Amino acid sequence: MIKHFFIKITLFLWIACIPSEIKGFSYEYISDGYFTSVHILTVDPKEHVILPVKASGEEIARETVATLAKSYGASAAVNGGFWKANGNPAGILKINCLWYGTPIKPRGAIGWSLNGQRVLIDRILTNYHLKDCPDESEIEVIPMSTPPHTSPEEWRELEHIVGGTPVLVRNGNVIEDYSPEQTLESFLVKKHPRTAVGIRDNGEWVFVVVDGRFYGFLGGMTIKELAELMLNLGCIEALNLDGGGSSTMVVEGIVINDPCGELKEDEKQVEAVSDAILIFPTNSL
């Protein structure tokens, strides 16, 4: 089991000299002692606001996670969904009821309400592609799981949706068959830096970033290993987000993992991404 494989060190962010106004976050660092390190951020949506944001840019709409976190004044952040070179999302993305991207394959996604306490994770499509839609208000989410796990009506009530792939955990069980999401086998079985998000039974959000200690050339996890980790962390639902060089966790403006991106920023090799998930204390907004 992964929970026995790693040496677990638990730290509370206020102990790590993080300002007291974000007390309640918890940060855990896990290492196998060699090449794989895991960074875990646990967030209570009753005490924090969780918001997706879209990067901007004149020609290429991509920014680093740290830049986005600093621009919005977020206390913490992780990278979001997969992206295209021009900065467009490669899957579904909905922020404050505005659509930025729609999926072309039945891929996993996480959707949530403004207060972050109503959350869905499922494989979904939409009835329109964004570029072909006559009116964005007509876009509807179509859940694709068999048997059904969520409904279009439930997704209609959510202001935010971020895409990923694949769904890792459902109803407290690791997903065994990833084929419905039509991902490459190598993406699933090779070890890569990863980012994931999960939900515990008590409503807490769990954000995980996995990287290798040598800029991603060693370490990382397979999708199955990541799913087992999320389950061991108590998640009853979990989703894989964008990984590789994009995998980044920021706390108080500092990148606390070791990314393997192509850009040099504050002595870290980071990546410019399409979107990120930001975390704010409720009293800051």
Side-chain angles (χ1 to χ4, degrees):
M1 298 290 287
I2 288 179
K3 63 182 178 181
H4 299 305
F5 181 67
F6 287 99
I7 302 169
K8 184 174 180 181
I9 305 170
T10 303
L11 299 173
F12 288 97
L13 293 186
W14 59 268
I15 294 177
C17 300
I18 302 300
S20 60
E21 62 264 22
I22 66 168
K23 185 167 26 177
F25 276 81
S26 67
Y27 169 72
E28 297 174 81
Y29 170 77
I30 300 175
S31 174
D32 66 355
Y34 296 95
F35 304 119
T36 298
S37 56
V38 181
H39 304 265
I40 306 160
L41 194 64
T42 303
V43 180
D44 185 346
K46 298 184 183 69
E47 298 181 4
H48 303 88
V49 178
I50 303 167
L51 296 175
V53 296
K54 178 70 181 72
S56 60
E58 293 183 4
E59 295 183 4
I60 299 176
R62 288 164 52 197
E63 299 176 80
T64 68
V65 178
T67 297
L68 289 167
K70 292 174 184 177
S71 296
Y72 285 88
S75 297
V78 298
N79 62 289
F82 296 84
W83 45 269
K84 300 177 182 178
N86 64 0
N88 289 339
I92 194 167
L93 182 62
K94 179 185 180 184
I95 301 175
N96 288 328
C97 298
L98 296 178
W99 290 94
Y100 294 87
T102 51
I104 59 174
K105 293 182 179 180
R107 294 284 172 85
I110 181 169
W112 67 99
S113 59
L114 287 176
N115 63 11
Q117 296 184 44
R118 190 166 71 250
V119 186
L120 300 177
I121 293 178
D122 202 357
R123 300 185 191 105
I124 60 175
L125 283 172
T126 52
N127 60 337
Y128 283 104
H129 294 309
L130 184 58
K131 63 180 181 179
D132 300 324
C133 183
D135 184 345
E136 289 186 17
S137 65
E138 297 181 15
I139 298 177
E140 295 278 350
V141 169
I142 305 171
M144 299 300 293
S145 294
T146 304
H149 184 60
T150 61
S151 69
E153 291 74 22
E154 290 177 297
W155 285 94
R156 195 178 300 133
E157 297 175 355
L158 305 181
E159 290 85 359
H160 308 309
I161 304 175
V162 174
T165 193
V167 175
L168 302 170
V169 178
R170 169 169 297 163
N171 291 330
N173 296 296
V174 169
I175 296 290
E176 300 292 343
D177 181 13
Y178 304 116
S179 62
E181 299 198 33
Q182 302 173 29
T183 55
L184 294 174
E185 183 71 12
S186 60
F187 172 79
L188 300 173
V189 301
K190 289 186 177 180
K191 293 180 181 290
H192 294 289
R194 307 281 187 180
T195 301
V197 58
I199 307 296
R200 289 178 173 152
D201 190 45
N202 63 2
E204 288 179 333
W205 289 54
V206 180
F207 296 97
V208 168
V209 167
V210 180
D211 52 32
R213 294 189 175 182
F214 296 101
Y215 301 97
F217 292 113
L218 296 170
M221 284 188 177
T222 68
I223 286 294
K224 185 64 179 293
E225 289 171 339
L226 183 64
E228 291 174 348
L229 173 64
M230 299 305 287
L231 183 66
N232 287 331
L233 291 173
C235 296
I236 58 171
E237 305 282 332
L239 173 71
N240 180 63
L241 297 171
D242 188 19
S246 299
S247 287
T248 307
M249 182 177 287
V250 173
V251 177
E252 286 300 292
I254 298 172
V255 177
I256 60 174
N257 70 307
D258 291 314
C260 56
E262 297 183 356
L263 304 176
K264 191 80 168 181
E265 182 180 68
D266 296 331
E267 304 305 315
K268 294 289 182 81
Q269 291 295 131
V270 299
E271 189 59 84
V273 299
S274 167
D275 53 275
I277 300 174
L278 308 187
I279 301 158
F280 306 83
T282 53
N283 60 9
S284 69
L285 296 176

